[in-house]
Amino acid sequence: MKDKSVAHSSADIVVSNFIRSIIDEDNRSGKWQRRVETRFPPEPNGYLHIGHAKSICLNFGLARDYKGVCHLRFDDTNPEKEAQEYVDAICENVAWLGFDWEGRQHYSSDYFDQLYAFAEYLITQGKAYVESLNADEMREHRGTLTSPGQNSPYRDRSIEESLDLFRRMKEGEFADGRYVLRAKIDMASSNMNMRDPVIYRIRHIRHQRTGEKWCIYPMYDYTHCISDALENITHSLCTLEFEDHRPLYDWVLDQLVDKVPCHPQQIEFARLNLTYAVMSKRKLIELVEGGLVDGWDDPRLSTLVGLRRRGFTPKSIRLFVERIGVSKADSWIDMSVLEDCLREDLNESAPRRIAILKPLKLIIDNYPCDQEEDCLAPNHPKKPEWEKRVVPLSKTIYIERDDFMEEPAKGYFRLSPGAEVRLRYAYIVKCVSVEKNVAGEIEAIHCTYDPDTKSGTEGATTRKVKGNIHWLSVKHVLQAEVRLYDRLFSDPYPDAGDKDYKASLNPNSKEITVAYVEQSLAEVKPEQAFQFERNGYFIADRVDTKLGKPVFNRVVTLRDSWGKVSGLA
Ligand code: ATP
Ligand code: MG
């Protein structure tokens, strides 16, 4: 399908996709009276990740653009794995991404009574039966992809007997696994999902919302379509692996045509696969529980709580989802696409500050010992209305160790013996000598400055030099913990095929250092983001930043330096 740009409201131009084409066509034909109602249906059995963000942005975004509504529905039919902790985290994530379900917060468990009544109805219609075979026997009867299944000997048990057994299942008379309820469809179907799928099972386990009320729980495929229909959903979006489940989705609703308000359309789209990340809940749990990362919100994880803590903004994630589009073809998106969206957002929104990550002392020999002066640095190079801030200069300053090379490589325009650079917002300096300790390591470098070259001063010499480096006065710095994060995996496809993703964990994905930063940063609030000039984008850690004691996470470098020698511009 060709993408084309269409205006959905006077304000935004959005890129069309095959789902929008379906909705446009439905609106033309009047199928839903121009109603668009979608839902995001997470199972509360783990934390959301960036793949879920695609589904959230898609569902809420369509509802917004078509003046419809989107529900947040918890698919909570597996009480053994689900918990309120996850419900709370999911609500927080969706709201953080900027979407509002306006009170439409539903749970599949809200429908347990109706789901049960519909199951009894299916039995009375000869469309469901209680199965006595155990799981192994059922598997043996199921057939394979190339051979049909066999009917269970219990398939034709009487309606009365099935109804009686089903009611007794509900009353708690039987142990787990003793019986199941199956839809009576077609054991010879070429689609395995249609071979009399199980729709109810016995589980003597407390449910986080319905407590002890139930000891039988409906299966996902049976629950999902009915929940959609009861909520009047129009377009039920899911990932491609559910394509083979669609005939079952439709079959269930066809049986209940007089009982539910509508028959939503299931539409499948390709899930997000992101390089250098793992997204399966199972693997995320292994990383967290195995102590391979620092919890669910580890800034290197692709969970939404992790991305948030790292410093990804809701806007950058929404932009990312918009940019990657939606299609029916499975593909991989490179992590750099996500990082670029973040750079785009932060380049606009993050005030500039200076931090020295790996300090080297520079002494300006001809600068008076007791002198201090104000240099003015813009808070944003493209936003004069953000004004300038004062960066004080004195005789002894810190520069980045990488900004000096005793024996400069070809094309190196920063400091080296005899070379000149501009100290940003201040003077041109020239390196005159190098101070070393007994081990021969450089301890400090000495420069002279040219007093006629102060930036922004009228009448200053406009001599041009190639290097332009940042610095902070030793007397005027604040120490701050800085966490330099990098990609968690060094393999772009850490879990492709049978690969052990743990084998490609990047050992250098987290480096903690103490940096020197501008003193004004003592007052930062958690989650304030900055560009530390030439060093990248940083955010005040939302958990560990305390008044007077900021902790910064590197969100992303200024340019995509992955795979190349990382260094300063
Ligand atoms: P698991 O990781 O165990 O496969 P899940 O990620 O499918 O679970 P759900 O809570 O069922 O977890 O997902 C909620 C919704 O998010 C579903 O509609 C699902 O299709 C969608 N979703 C999940 N992963 C992705 C992904 N990578 N890309 C796009 N949508 C996704
Ligand atoms: Mg799922």
Side-chain angles (χ1 to χ4, degrees), residues 39-208:
R39 84 289 169 266
F40 172 62
E43 184 182 351
N45 64 349
Y47 283 80
L48 298 184
H49 52 63
I50 183 76
H52 293 111
K54 176 174 179 179
S55 178
I56 294 169
C57 293
L58 204 56
N59 279 295
F60 280 93
L62 287 168
R64 175 198 61 212
D65 294 344
Y66 286 94
K67 312 234 174 317
V69 294
C70 181
H71 307 198
L72 175 57
R73 180 189 328 127
F74 292 96
D75 240 318
D76 56 348
T77 54
N78 263 318
E80 54 268 72
K81 291 192 182 150
E82 298 164 356
Q84 186 62 36
E85 175 196 356
Y86 299 128
V87 171
D88 296 341
I90 290 169
C91 289
E92 199 180 319
N93 286 162
V94 175
W96 175 70
L97 277 175
F99 298 106
D100 185 356
W101 52 99
E102 296 168 324
R104 292 180 196 84
Q105 183 164 331
H106 305 292
Y107 297 82
S108 296
S109 55
D110 294 342
Y111 312 127
F112 280 174
D113 285 320
Q114 275 150 302
L115 289 159
Y116 177 80
F118 291 154
E120 281 205 355
Y121 171 76
L122 290 181
I123 297 172
T124 62
Q125 299 302 298
K127 297 292 183 184
Y129 60 98
V130 170
E131 174 63 278
S132 302
L133 294 182
N134 64 32
D136 288 337
E137 292 163 332
M138 277 175 61
R139 206 169 302 121
E140 280 161 27
H141 281 73
R142 200 164 176 236
T144 65
L145 284 173
T146 50
S147 63
Q150 281 168 275
N151 285 353
S152 157
Y154 301 96
R155 195 172 200 263
D156 291 319
R157 103 190 317 157
S158 72
I159 288 174
E160 292 68 32
E161 193 186 351
S162 275
L163 203 52
D164 174 60
L165 284 170
F166 188 50
R167 287 179 178 160
R168 288 161 60 197
M169 281 165 65
K170 172 178 173 251
E171 293 312 317
E173 209 174 294
F174 309 116
D176 288 6
R178 176 69 188 86
Y179 293 106
V180 290
L181 183 70
R182 299 179 77 172
K184 193 189 275 190
I185 309 180
D186 179 7
M187 287 305 291
S189 172
S190 57
N191 183 337
M192 302 285 278
N193 296 307
M194 298 298 271
R195 294 185 186 172
D196 291 9
V198 173
I199 57 176
Y200 261 94
R201 69 217 195 285
I202 304 172
R203 278 277 182 288
H204 288 272
I205 184 164
R206 201 191 141 74
H207 186 283
Q208 67 274 14

Side-chain angles (χ1 to χ4, degrees), residues 273-297:
N273 298 306
L274 191 64
T275 59
Y276 300 99
V278 297
M279 276 190 268
S280 123
K281 277 180 193 156
R282 180 179 64 78
K283 291 170 193 163
L284 290 170
I285 287 177
E286 278 172 11
L287 287 169
V288 171
E289 291 184 348
L292 297 165
V293 295
D294 308 327
W296 286 104
D297 65 349

Side-chain angles (χ1 to χ4, degrees), residues 41 43 52 220 239 241-242 271 281:
E43 184 182 351
H52 293 111
Y220 173 85
T239 37
E241 67 272 22
F242 288 100
R271 68 195 293 112
K281 277 180 193 156

Side-chain angles (χ1 to χ4, degrees), residues 375-394:
C375 298
L376 291 175
N379 288 315
H380 193 292
K382 300 256 166 61
K383 295 180 199 270
E385 69 280 13
W386 285 19
E387 301 184 339
K388 295 187 176 184
R389 66 191 190 283
V390 169
V391 180
L393 175 70
S394 68

